[in-house]
Amino acid sequence: MSVYAEFHRRSIEDRDAFWAQQAEWITWQTPPQTICDHSQPPFTRWFAGGTTNLCHNAVDRHLAARADQDALIFVSTEVGIEKTYTYRALHDEVQRMAATLQSLGITTGDRVQIYMPMVPEAVFAMLACTRIGAIHSVVFGGFASGSLASRIEDAEPKLIVSADAGSRGGKVIPYKPLLDEAIRLSRHKPAAVLLVDRGLAPMERVAGRDHDYATLRQQHRDAQVPCVWVDATHTSYTLYTSGTTGKPKGVQRDTGGYAVALAASLPHIFMGKPGETFFCTSDIGWVVGHSYIVYGPLIGGMATILYEGLPTRGLDGEANPAIWWSLVEKYKVSVMFSAPTAVRVLKKQDPAALKQHDVSSLKALFLAGEPLDEPTGRWIADALGVPIIDNYWQTETGWPLMTIANGVEKRASKFGSPGVPMYGFDVRLLDEATGEELTEPGRKGVVVVQGPTPPGFMQTVWRDDARFVKTYWQSIPGREVYSTFDWGVRDADGYYFILGRTDDVINVAGHRLGTREIEEAVSSHPNVAEVAVVGVADALKGQVAMAFIVARDAAGLDDAAARLQLEGEVMRVVDGQLGALARPARVLVVNTLPKTRSGKLLRRAIQAVCEQRDTGDLTTMEDPAALEQIRALMAR
Ligand code: PRX
């Protein structure tokens, strides 16, 4: 048995001993009493009875050895700022923020929503929350008021931390009006709003509710706020993600299990060492940002780069396709983490740009979030000359479910495959309809995880255990297994290939979006009677959303200009409610939508037609002409 196969085997078969050992990667106030409690499946509780603190592990514990080493490196090519915080400075800032939160009434268990651009205060706020045992819930800054409102209603935060504005490609995007509108739409109203004023956009303050961070920070300049020791099973955060219904799920994560999972992943998967620099180009609004911009690198004693901006603009605001590589050179980045979409954007630029910089500090580039196509993988591997390591995971898993654990044993990657199941994950492939396990290579099935789930995995859906069980654990007949809702196949060497979602989730530029959410937004346009949104393959973004609508009043819509106007209006509705990232690439008017005789929308058939694939068996279809119209529209 290979070294890694044995490592993986122990993580499953000798679970308690294996994970008790991994638990030593972090600092405990009191050691865990039980390692894995799986007495109430499908719920898994890790390290119960042990007390610890995420912020202590990410910041305070490093003060003795590396107070003067870099912890947070903030680079914004949007506003032309480059600023470094040592571990000591980060410790000071987190305490100022923690004292500010306390002064606004926040204590252990309270929810704090964070709706912020990529600024250091967002990281301070996350760490300040976990420092005092408050539960943070970060909402991606690219979401608009409708998305934000539904998350406010579900999380019921006492406080929302936000900012005047973000910026993208030099264009200021005001956040405060979106926040005010979201609070207006939400049935739950936060008691307080804490605002970071970047001086980018004017803000109207609501008296008695809105507070300026600059003032409060000054008041708490010398604050000392000790870490609150919490049980390993204490909820550290919730992070909303899209699924099959229109209502996003609050993925809830613990403290001790998460800290252990991240701490262990650094040496085993990412090969990152204390004192080195980690550069993850994701956003704090996504799980990758939580795990590998904020908590992972800091728990591992590394410096982490927080990057605000496009991959193609320099600090001077001029076009610069080599900005990331210049940062790799300058900060001697050893571990880099990005997404295939970003690489495809860079691929369109001049490859010589990359060669201007010394990237020899890099051990590997990790890519995740969407399938890595071979041409993109090969291009960046050749250009950088370092291993490109695909890793497959989900908001729910918190860290990679499949990749190659080169820190345990070096093993070749295969193009198109994220690799093999990570330690702690008992992965199976099942037949969707029968629940039969597919053991022989080459058969396509649903990727599932047999419980108990490993440390770092979601605890439950926030305030909805029933939804957690029903959605994730009861989707396959006769089996109680966690479904990833991804199709996969395994080859004879045990490498997996991920073949897309089994549900209505789409992946646009690595962003996970629910087509139902987009459909709900589109439907709110007064002239939309019915709508179907599907994800269609796109060379740059992986997938784009396409919307097909049936108009309430089709009069005049035989005119191309009128159709174009309606398309623009629908796009603006989506922009306003969900944000531009959810905007369909096209909104096309049809007479009817393809449905089964029982009225079920045939989204997979629409998608197949859009991608010029075989639609499969359509004998249950009500009106074949509906699909023909879509085919004709797409052919234009
Ligand atoms: O469909 C899979 C796809 O992204 C989904 C999870 O998205 P999210 O919750 O945003 O978490 C992203 C964490 C990296 C998965 O169900 N996906 C993610 N990584 C890969 C991938 N598909 C193929 N290859 C990957 N490496």
Side-chain angles (χ1 to χ4, degrees), residues 287-288 368-371 390-395 486 501 507 512:
V287 69
V288 174
E370 53 182 318
D390 191 359
N391 54 128
Y392 158 73
W393 44 300
Q394 307 181 303
T395 307
D486 279 306
R501 298 279 303 195
N507 193 318
R512 173 167 164 185

Side-chain angles (χ1 to χ4, degrees), residues 90 98 210 257 263 317 339-340 385 443 492 568 586 613 616:
L90 179 61
D210 295 358
R443 287 187 63 186
R586 292 297 315 268
R613 284 186 286 111

